[in-house]
Amino acid sequence: MHEVHEREILEKLREIGAERVLIQTPEGLKREAQELACFLEGEGIDVIISGDINYGACDPADREAKMLGCDALIHLGHSYMQLHLEVPAIFVPAFAKVDVIPALERNLGEIRKLGRRIGLVTTVQHIHQLERARDFLENHGFKVFIGEGDGRVSFRGQVLGCNFTAAYVDADGILFIGAGYFHPIGVALATKKPTLAVNPYSGDALWMEREVERTIRKRWGQIAKAYNAEKFGVIISTKKGQLRLAEARRIVRLLREHGRKAELIAMNHISYPSLEGFDFDAYVVVACPRVPIDDVENWRKPVLTPPEVELLLGLREEYKFDEIVGGKRSINEPLGVAFHGPGNGV
Amino acid sequence: MHEVHEREILEKLREIGAERVLIQTPEGLKREAQELACFLEGEGIDVIISGDINYGACDPADREAKMLGCDALIHLGHSYMQLHLEVPAIFVPAFAKVDVIPALERNLGEIRKLGRRIGLVTTVQHIHQLERARDFLENHGFKVFIGEGDGRVSFRGQVLGCNFTAAYVDADGILFIGAGYFHPIGVALATKKPTLAVNPYSGDALWMEREVERTIRKRWGQIAKAYNAEKFGVIISTKKGQLRLAEARRIVRLLREHGRKAELIAMNHISYPSLEGFDFDAYVVVACPRVPIDDVENWRKPVLTPPEVELLLGLREEYKFDEIVGGKRSINEPLGVAFHGPGNGV
């Protein structure tokens, strides 16, 4: 169970002078949000909990906070993403307690197959152990590279589902520390380097090659299905950190220049059922890059990413993973509770 | 199929000087929205279609329009609701072509059972025929009352799912013209008068008594299930026309004064699955009054309206339907395409 640092949050709120706050939480921290609300109310703070499911720092509820008369936003579970926020925000990343070293130790043989020069990345859950992991690996003869990452991430070596800039290092292969396929498959697709995922909970190590092949094959399948599509719905998201209006307009223009029809569609949470009533032959998601990749089974129409449209129109040859990049990172997030004023928080 | 008055909309946009618009549509008019987008783009207007499902004028996408750099909002399918909007908005109610008179004629015998003094209400779909219906009924010996309605509706005699103020007239019974149970059950629950719904499509007439009884029985069932609940989630909506923050705070206060725990939850689209991770024993929806009534089967926890909380706490005795009322109506909407500037549109 992750810890929520109640006292520290209260202190930050008092520093800001906030009297009314909105707490936003991912699915897995809802009970912590509820406990935090209870604690803060006991300290005289008015609290509203956001019931909207949150998938990332790309979707801060700062507009909702402002609208509800809140002085501050508490965003649980994710680290800060550089965005212009309308109220002061406290980001409370959830750090996992599991020790990452035993899993690395157990999988040294597999890690060696990456080569001697390895890139090391992880998610925010394990980021506080990245230096320890690096030391451990260097003590075992590896040359470890930890990428800076750009403005979408808070920490060196941190990857998001949509941003692998911290994995763009001059290494033979990439070692990802963390659970599941979601992040390391993205690392492998984006970097095109051998990628090994070491899971600190199970102690397992997984190579991404087969998953990458399977995913790219599926993506080409989507491109093929959209090949003769006439009418494209080009979808943008109103989530602040997913809004890529200029890129969407570029895709609409490209499609129209190539004789296809295209309309811009804006939505908050992107899911196929909401689109069912429209008369489009195919969709392009110019928002979270993971929607077309991970949710494709739920779409009854082909759904592409922007680079896949370029492949479809013959403007690109090699498969490219869609990423959202975010300019230069101008902060180094302190570990733990982190405060960001309204504005870009720099 | 409803008509969308493309030329008229274009004219209004030119009057406003809008160059970029967001089109918002209910599920049933998605293809019309798409055709309208196509038409307007042919006339040099930049268009974005909202893909978010819209259920009413209580949820205008004016904030989204502003955020996306649009000069105007086109809201299809519903008539204007007095709200402070952030961009100029064009409301395009969808008027049904079906003639309402034959169904009235066919059901004169049933209508007579309402008494001689009848209140006459309908939805925006048939509002353009309300005067004809009144004349027809008066020619058949009825004294017809058409209520003013308040600021939430655009037309005299118009009801919404959450507002039956146009049915509050000094009559023996209420005649509703329109399809389905959704509106007339609300009329009957709110007015507590005999209510007959005449469906102009099928020609059928339905008495609401049995439905009302069934609904009230179910509502008491919910109240009973919540009787020993300790922790209440009191839900507000961030949809502009459903936000009842003061009322929600009143309910939180009432619950706490009576020894229950209560937390405020804010969400956009209210549905139980988003709430599943919380640890509440029961919920109160202080947003769209129809959510607890019509969606109750999908909730695994008891879900109440604000008056039902008063019943639960013994502060009220008689069942009362939750309505959102909206102050005095200060406009009389012209039929057809209607323009409202930013602000309260008065």
Side-chain angles (χ1 to χ4, degrees):
Chain A
M1 187 80 279
H2 301 298
E3 255 185 45
V4 171
H5 315 281
E6 302 182 334
R7 284 267 149 218
E8 219 178 320
I9 292 169
L10 178 63
E11 241 168 69
K12 292 274 176 200
L13 289 176
R14 296 220 162 122
E15 268 172 52
I16 310 169
E19 290 173 357
R20 186 173 287 184
V21 299
L22 181 67
I23 303 179
Q24 185 181 22
T25 170
E27 192 56 34
L29 295 175
K30 278 192 164 150
R31 298 207 170 205
E32 282 78 359
Q34 210 175 324
E35 285 161 21
L36 177 62
C38 224
F39 166 78
L40 292 175
E41 279 166 349
E43 301 288 335
I45 309 266
D46 257 3
V47 180
I48 303 178
I49 304 170
S50 169
D52 292 326
I53 293 176
N54 174 261
Y55 297 98
C58 56
D59 187 21
D62 59 318
R63 282 190 298 248
E64 289 82 351
K66 197 179 177 188
M67 194 182 114
L68 296 168
C70 294
D71 312 307
L73 170 69
I74 299 172
H75 182 107
L76 299 186
H78 310 109
S79 65
Y80 176 62
M81 180 178 286
Q82 280 177 43
L83 293 170
H84 182 92
L85 301 180
E86 290 176 38
V87 296
I90 298 171
F91 284 76
V92 189
F95 297 118
K97 287 183 186 157
V98 61
D99 184 354
V100 303
I101 305 298
L104 292 180
E105 191 149 31
R106 178 173 160 183
N107 292 291
L108 274 172
E110 288 302 302
I111 298 170
R112 287 220 169 82
K113 295 182 189 162
L114 283 170
R116 206 185 69 81
R117 299 161 55 84
I118 59 175
L120 182 61
V121 291
T122 186
T123 61
V124 71
Q125 279 79 12
H126 309 291
I127 201 81
H128 57 304
Q129 297 191 56
L130 202 65
E131 291 303 319
R132 274 183 68 228
R134 183 233 293 267
D135 292 347
F136 172 84
L137 292 164
E138 299 216 312
N139 287 341
H140 284 80
F142 292 97
K143 172 90 183 111
V144 177
F145 298 85
I146 297 181
E148 259 309 309
D150 69 8
R152 273 179 91 76
V153 296
S154 287
F155 304 102
R156 297 182 64 227
Q158 181 191 0
V159 291
L160 306 174
C162 59
N163 184 297
F164 305 96
T165 50
Y168 291 137
V169 290
D170 183 22
D172 304 322
I174 312 291
L175 175 61
F176 168 84
I177 300 176
Y181 276 95
F182 182 76
H183 290 94
I185 180 100
V187 171
L189 282 164
T191 63
K192 296 178 181 172
K193 289 196 173 160
T195 301
L196 182 69
V198 169
N199 182 329
Y201 301 98
S202 67
D204 292 341
L206 290 167
W207 288 97
M208 288 298 122
E209 260 159 314
R210 201 171 300 171
E211 274 302 307
V212 164
E213 259 172 51
R214 219 169 63 95
T215 303
I216 293 186
R217 207 164 47 236
K218 271 204 216 162
R219 299 316 304 160
W220 278 108
Q222 288 291 304
I223 296 168
K225 276 172 71 185
Y227 202 75
N228 292 315
E230 210 188 296
K231 287 176 258 179
F232 286 77
V234 177
I235 305 170
I236 51 176
S237 171
T238 51
K239 294 186 194 298
K240 197 166 257 188
Q242 295 184 15
L243 182 51
R244 300 151 76 188
L245 191 50
E247 173 70 349
R249 291 202 183 278
R250 184 181 75 86
I251 294 296
V252 167
R253 212 163 38 237
L254 276 185
L255 285 164
R256 289 182 182 165
E257 281 168 10
H258 287 76
R260 317 286 179 120
K261 287 181 182 164
E263 296 292 344
L264 267 185
I265 302 173
M267 38 199 316
N268 185 344
H269 179 63
I270 299 171
S271 77
Y272 184 69
S274 305
L275 297 163
E276 198 124 43
F278 286 119
D279 174 33
F280 292 106
D281 307 316
Y283 290 95
V284 186
V285 172
V286 194
C288 173
R290 302 308 293 254
V291 170
I293 311 281
D294 300 271
D295 196 38
V296 62
E297 319 293 347
N298 297 317
W299 290 59
R300 285 209 219 145
K301 296 282 172 75
V303 55
L304 307 179
T305 66
E308 290 167 357
V309 171
E310 296 172 336
L311 288 162
L312 175 87
L313 300 176
L315 305 169
R316 170 187 291 280
E317 283 183 2
E318 209 188 342
Y319 188 84
K320 183 180 181 286
F321 186 69
D322 182 32
E323 260 186 286
I324 310 183
V325 289
K328 200 173 148 46
R329 187 155 55 90
S330 46
I331 49 143
N332 262 301
E333 177 88 54
L335 290 178
V337 176
F339 164 67
H340 295 280
N344 65 7
V346 179
Chain B
M1 187 79 280
H2 301 298
E3 255 185 46
V4 171
H5 316 281
E6 302 183 335
R7 285 267 149 217
E8 219 179 317
I9 291 169
L10 178 63
E11 241 168 68
K12 292 274 177 202
L13 289 176
R14 295 220 162 120
E15 268 173 53
I16 310 168
E19 289 172 358
R20 185 173 286 184
V21 299
L22 180 67
I23 304 178
Q24 185 182 22
T25 171
E27 192 57 33
L29 294 176
K30 279 193 165 150
R31 296 202 171 208
E32 282 77 359
Q34 209 174 327
E35 285 160 21
L36 178 61
C38 224
F39 166 78
L40 292 176
E41 278 166 349
E43 301 287 335
I45 309 265
D46 258 3
V47 180
I48 303 178
I49 304 170
S50 170
D52 291 326
I53 293 176
N54 175 261
Y55 298 97
C58 55
D59 187 21
D62 58 317
R63 281 190 299 247
E64 289 83 351
K66 197 177 177 190
M67 194 181 115
L68 296 167
C70 293
D71 312 308
L73 170 69
I74 300 173
H75 183 108
L76 299 186
H78 310 108
S79 65
Y80 175 64
M81 180 178 285
Q82 282 178 44
L83 293 169
H84 181 92
L85 301 180
E86 291 176 38
V87 296
I90 298 171
F91 285 76
V92 189
F95 296 117
K97 287 182 185 156
V98 61
D99 184 354
V100 303
I101 305 298
L104 293 180
E105 192 148 31
R106 178 174 159 182
N107 292 292
L108 273 173
E110 287 303 301
I111 297 171
R112 287 220 169 83
K113 295 182 190 161
L114 282 170
R116 206 186 68 80
R117 300 161 54 83
I118 59 175
L120 182 62
V121 292
T122 185
T123 61
V124 71
Q125 280 80 13
H126 309 290
I127 201 81
H128 57 305
Q129 297 191 57
L130 202 64
E131 291 302 320
R132 276 183 67 228
R134 182 231 295 266
D135 292 348
F136 172 84
L137 292 163
E138 300 216 310
N139 288 341
H140 285 80
F142 293 98
K143 172 90 185 109
V144 177
F145 298 85
I146 296 182
E148 260 308 309
D150 70 7
R152 272 179 91 76
V153 296
S154 287
F155 305 102
R156 297 182 63 227
Q158 181 191 359
V159 291
L160 306 174
C162 59
N163 185 295
F164 305 96
T165 50
Y168 291 136
V169 290
D170 182 22
D172 305 320
I174 312 291
L175 174 60
F176 167 84
I177 300 176
Y181 276 96
F182 183 76
H183 290 94
I185 180 102
V187 170
L189 282 163
T191 63
K192 297 178 179 170
K193 290 198 173 158
T195 301
L196 182 69
V198 169
N199 183 329
Y201 301 98
S202 66
D204 292 341
L206 292 166
W207 288 97
M208 289 298 121
E209 261 159 311
R210 200 171 300 170
E211 274 303 307
V212 165
E213 259 172 50
R214 219 170 62 94
T215 303
I216 292 186
R217 207 163 49 234
K218 270 203 215 165
R219 300 314 306 159
W220 278 107
Q222 288 291 305
I223 296 169
K225 276 173 71 184
Y227 202 74
N228 291 315
E230 210 189 297
K231 288 175 257 180
F232 286 77
V234 177
I235 304 171
I236 51 175
S237 171
T238 51
K239 293 185 194 298
K240 196 168 259 188
Q242 294 184 17
L243 182 52
R244 301 152 75 188
L245 191 50
E247 173 69 350
R249 292 202 183 277
R250 184 182 75 86
I251 294 297
V252 166
R253 211 164 39 237
L254 276 186
L255 285 164
R256 289 182 183 166
E257 281 167 11
H258 287 76
R260 317 285 178 119
K261 287 182 182 163
E263 296 291 344
L264 268 185
I265 301 173
M267 39 200 315
N268 185 344
H269 178 64
I270 298 170
S271 77
Y272 184 69
S274 306
L275 296 164
E276 197 124 43
F278 287 119
D279 174 33
F280 291 106
D281 306 316
Y283 290 94
V284 186
V285 172
V286 194
C288 173
R290 302 308 292 254
V291 170
I293 311 280
D294 300 271
D295 196 39
V296 62
E297 320 292 348
N298 297 316
W299 290 60
R300 286 209 219 145
K301 297 281 172 74
V303 55
L304 307 180
T305 66
E308 289 167 359
V309 171
E310 296 171 336
L311 288 162
L312 175 87
L313 300 176
L315 305 170
R316 170 187 291 281
E317 283 182 3
E318 210 188 341
Y319 189 83
K320 183 181 180 286
F321 186 69
D322 182 32
E323 259 186 287
I324 309 183
V325 289
K328 201 173 147 46
R329 187 154 55 90
S330 46
I331 49 143
N332 263 300
E333 178 87 52
L335 291 178
V337 176
F339 164 68
H340 295 280
N344 66 5
V346 180

